[in-house]
Amino acid sequence: MSAIEIKYSLFKDIDSISDERMLQRISVLVKSILATSRVKSSATDNASEIPDFVRNMSVNTGLSGDIDAKDLMREHWNEVYG
């Protein structure tokens, strides 16, 4: 079944429903499915935009393992921006 056939079939079935509460439930269900698919697609889009060689890069900072990077950034921020 193609996407157009599925859309037509769903429209025809939904059009035959006369119970307003059932239509509201279907509307909520469809909205939640659409919202979920958008979130998933945007997450995969972001991941696919980053090339593999960039994603797998490591940065050599030359810092020893006992230095806390957050504290170092905080010190830098205070020195530069007061």
Side-chain angles (χ1 to χ4, degrees), residues 57-73:
M57 276 181 161
S58 63
V59 177
N60 185 4
T61 61
L63 298 174
S64 63
D66 59 341
I67 296 176
D68 186 12
K70 286 183 181 179
D71 288 338
L72 188 62
M73 289 302 295

Side-chain angles (χ1 to χ4, degrees), residues 35-53:
T36 303
S37 66
R38 284 187 197 131
V39 169
K40 287 181 183 177
S41 68
S42 68
T44 56
D45 289 345
N46 290 340
S48 66
E49 289 177 2
I50 302 170
D52 286 336
F53 74 93

